[in-house]
């Protein structure tokens, strides 16, 4: 059985978003679709935002802070 924990994202475009995580991943990647002009063959573009776990928080909700330098 997988243990799920609640995590909150701090800062960046997903500030305040609450998610369920398993295994306390080091990073969470959030993507946001971008509009593409004259896209062909199903091409798409997405903005990528990275959140890193705050290791000082040991209980729920876990905290993940926006990493402005990533990716």
């Amino acid at each position: 059985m997988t243990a799920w924990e609640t995590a909150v994202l701090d800062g960046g475009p997903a500030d305040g978003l609450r998610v369920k995580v398993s295994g306390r991943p080091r990073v969470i990647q959030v993507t946001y679709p971008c509009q593409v002009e004259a896209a062909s063959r199903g091409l798409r573009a997405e903005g990528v935002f990275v959140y890193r776990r705050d290791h000082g928080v040991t209980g729920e909700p876990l905290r993940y802070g926006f990493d402005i330098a990533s990716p």
Side-chain angles (χ1 to χ4, degrees):
M1 183 170 165
T2 302
W4 293 95
E5 296 178 280
T6 300
V8 176
L9 306 184
D10 289 327
D15 185 47
L17 183 69
R18 296 174 73 86
V19 298
K20 292 286 189 179
V21 297
S22 175
R24 295 189 176 189
R26 292 181 193 169
V27 298
I28 294 176
Q29 177 177 301
V30 174
T31 62
Y32 186 81
C34 299
Q35 291 185 349
V36 178
E37 296 179 14
S40 63
R41 300 184 194 180
L43 178 71
R44 69 178 194 214
E46 295 182 341
V48 177
F49 305 97
V50 174
Y51 289 78
R52 296 192 184 279
R53 185 163 54 96
D54 179 345
H55 294 281
V57 178
T58 57
E60 288 188 75
L62 301 174
R63 307 297 281 193
Y64 285 77
F66 177 60
D67 184 347
I68 196 165
S70 291

